[in-house]
Amino acid sequence: MHKLTVAQGTAMSAGAVLGAGIISLPAMAAAVAGPASIVAWLALVLVSAPLAWVFAELGARFPDAGGVSSYVRQAFGDTAADAVGWVFYLAVPVGAPVASSFAGGYIADALGGGRATSLATFAVIITVVFILNWLGLHVSGRVQVVLLSILVSLMVITVLVALPHAQAGNFVPFTPHGWGAVGLAAAMLVWAFAGWEAVSSLSPDYANPRRDVPRATMLAVVVVGVLYLAVAGTNIAVLGPGLGVSQAPLADLLAVGIGEPARLITAAVALMLTLGTVNAYVAGAARLGTALAAEGALPAWLTGTDHRSLTFVVGSAVVVAVLPLEQHTFMLMVSGGITLVYVLGTAAAVKLLPGTLAKTVAGFALVSVCALLWLTGVPALLGLAVAAAAVGYRFWRLRRSTDVQPEDAVSVEDPGSSH
C-alpha cells in the first residue's frame, strides 16, 4: 500500500482546510469588521498553528482513522464521543445551504436574479449531490485534487492581477465598527479554517507518522495562512469600502484586473468548487450517520443505512435553506459547532499527550478555541444544544434498555426440583 510523503501529506492537509468559503468570506468578514477584518484572518492563522500541531501530535502518537472522535472517546468516554459525532453530523445540513449560497452569489453576480438565483443554485447543487450519493457515484479523490488545484490557481491569479490596483486609502478607517467587531469576524472565519482535525485521520497513511505528520501539518499551516492572508488583504486593498457589499469578491477583483468577462468564468469555477465541497461533506455525513446508528448513537430507523442517512441530511438541508435567517447566522451556527468539537478535541489532547511542552501547547489551543466559542455568541448555543441532545439520547437509551424486562420476569421453579 502506497504511503504518504511529507509533500503529499502537506497537499492533503491543506486541501482539507482550503474550501469554497474563501470565494465569499473576505467580503462577509469585511462587512462585519471593515479593513480590521485582516486582523481576524491573522488571528485565525496564528490560532491554527497550535491547533493543527495538537491534532498532528495526536495523530502521530495515536494513529487512528477515527480522528478526533477517537481521541475524545479515549479521554472522556463514549458519551463525549457521541456528542462530537452529532455535532459533526448535524453541521452539514446547516452548512450545505451556506456553501451553496457562496456559488449562488457568483451566479447572481454574473446573471442577475439575487435571492431567487441563489436558491436555484442551491437546488441544483443539492439535487446533483443527492443523486450522485444515492447511486454511489462519489467524486473521486483525483477530481477533488483537481478542484483544489483550480481553487489555489484562482486565488493566486486573482492576487497577481488585482494587487497593482491596490490603494492604501482603502484601509482607512481601519476599524469602522470598533474592535469588538473583529472578534465576531474571527468567530465567523472559523468556517474557513475548519479541517485541521482531519489531519489526524490521515496519520495511519504515512510511512513514519511520528516524524512526518507534524512536518506536513506545519507546512500546510504556512500554505493556508499565506493564501488566505494574501486574498483577504488584496480584497481590502483593491475593493475598499465596496468589499462589504460584494457577493462575488473574487469576480470583482478579476474584473478589475482583466475585465468584465472574468465574472462568467469565476461563476463557473465557483459552481464547480462548491459542488465538490458540498458533495464531499454530504458523502462523509451520510457515512457518519450510518456509523453512529450502528454504534447506537442515533436511531437506526432514521440513519441506519446510507440511503436513510443521506435522505435525512439532504432533507434537513432543504429545510434549513428556506428558513428566514441571515446567512451569517447560519455560518456562526456551523462555526460554533466546529469550535465546540475543537474544544473537546484539545481538551482530550491535554489529557492524552505526554510531556509538559505538548500539554502546554494543547492548553493554549484549548483556551483559544474556548475564546472563539464565546465570541460566536448566541449561535454557538446550537452546537451546545446538539451536544446536550446526544448526551440525553445516550442516557435515554441506557435507561430504556435497563427498564425493558422479559415478559416472564418472574422466575419459574424447575419442575425437576419439586416434590
Side-chain angles (χ1 to χ4, degrees), residues 161-173:
V161 301
L163 202 54
H165 302 274
Q167 299 180 36
N170 285 334
F171 285 90
V172 180

Side-chain angles (χ1 to χ4, degrees), residues 227-279:
L227 286 173
Y228 277 172
L229 289 173
V231 172
T234 303
N235 269 279
I236 296 169
V238 175
L239 300 180
L243 174 61
V245 296
S246 174
Q247 59 182 348
L250 290 190
D252 291 341
L253 284 178
L254 281 175
V256 169
I258 63 178
E260 289 300 313
R263 295 190 183 278
L264 280 174
I265 298 173
T266 311
V269 172
L271 183 61
M272 286 191 300
L273 287 170
T274 306
L275 179 61
T277 299
V278 174
N279 181 77

Side-chain angles (χ1 to χ4, degrees), residues 30-416:
V32 171
S37 60
I38 194 67
V39 177
W41 283 101
L42 179 59
L44 264 295
V45 171
L46 295 177
V47 169
S48 285
L51 185 64
W53 185 87
V54 164
F55 285 118
E57 281 293 302
L58 286 170
R61 292 181 180 278
F62 312 103
D64 190 319
V68 62
S69 62
S70 173
Y71 310 134
V72 171
R73 191 181 307 278
Q74 289 183 55
F76 306 118
D78 292 339
T79 302
D82 286 356
V84 169
W86 274 48
V87 172
F88 265 130
Y89 186 58
L90 295 179
V92 173
V94 180
V98 177
S100 298
S101 72
F102 296 155
Y106 279 76
I107 302 296
D109 178 69
L111 304 178
R115 168 73 171 163
T117 300
S118 184
L119 283 174
T121 303
F122 165 73
V124 169
I125 290 174
I126 204 67
T127 299
V128 171
V129 165
F130 180 77
I131 293 172
L132 285 175
N133 284 277
W134 185 271
L135 298 177
L137 303 175
H138 301 307
V139 176
S140 70
R142 289 184 179 180
V143 173
Q144 294 288 9
V145 170
V146 170
L147 291 174
L148 173 63
S149 300
I150 292 173
L151 173 60
V152 173
S153 299
L154 179 65
M155 293 167 71
V156 172
I157 292 171
T158 299
V159 170
L160 292 178
V161 301
L163 202 54
H165 302 274
Q167 299 180 36
N170 285 334
F171 285 90
V172 180
F174 190 66
T175 55
H177 308 297
W179 283 105
V182 176
L184 182 59
M188 183 184 299
L189 292 179
V190 169
W191 176 290
F193 291 88
W196 291 123
E197 75 287 347
V199 302
S200 58
S201 299
L202 297 172
S203 57
D205 298 327
Y206 285 85
N208 188 337
R210 188 71 193 90
R211 180 196 65 197
D212 293 342
V213 172
R215 290 181 182 180
T217 302
M218 290 300 101
L219 285 172
V221 169
V222 173
V223 171
V224 169
V226 169
L227 286 173
Y228 277 172
L229 289 173
V231 172
T234 303
N235 269 279
I236 296 169
V238 175
L239 300 180
L243 174 61
V245 296
S246 174
Q247 59 182 348
L250 290 190
D252 291 341
L253 284 178
L254 281 175
V256 169
I258 63 178
E260 289 300 313
R263 295 190 183 278
L264 280 174
I265 298 173
T266 311
V269 172
L271 183 61
M272 286 191 300
L273 287 170
T274 306
L275 179 61
T277 299
V278 174
N279 181 77
Y281 277 107
V282 169
R287 291 191 293 271
L288 174 60
T290 305
L292 289 171
E295 295 170 359
L298 279 173
W301 61 265
L302 184 65
T303 66
T305 66
D306 285 349
H307 281 175
R308 289 179 188 173
S309 183
L310 173 64
T311 302
F312 175 79
V313 170
V314 171
S316 300
V318 172
V319 172
V320 170
V322 298
L323 290 177
L325 292 177
E326 295 292 331
Q327 183 187 50
H328 75 272
T329 300
F330 286 123
M331 286 193 64
L332 287 172
M333 288 179 178
V334 176
S335 294
I338 294 169
T339 307
L340 179 60
V341 170
Y342 284 164
V343 168
L344 292 171
T346 51
V350 171
K351 184 173 182 180
L352 295 176
L353 290 179
T356 302
L357 175 61
K359 289 185 180 296
T360 301
V361 176
F364 176 80
L366 174 60
V367 171
S368 299
V369 292
C370 283
L372 285 173
L373 186 66
W374 177 76
L375 289 170
T376 303
V378 174
L381 295 177
L382 176 63
L384 294 171
V386 169
V391 174
Y393 180 74
R394 170 168 280 274
F395 278 108
W396 176 80
R397 281 189 67 255
L398 290 174
R399 183 170 181 178
R400 186 167 178 266
S401 64
T402 56
D403 287 346
V404 174
Q405 300 291 336
E407 290 185 9
D408 299 323
V410 180
S411 61
V412 178
E413 187 178 3
D414 183 0

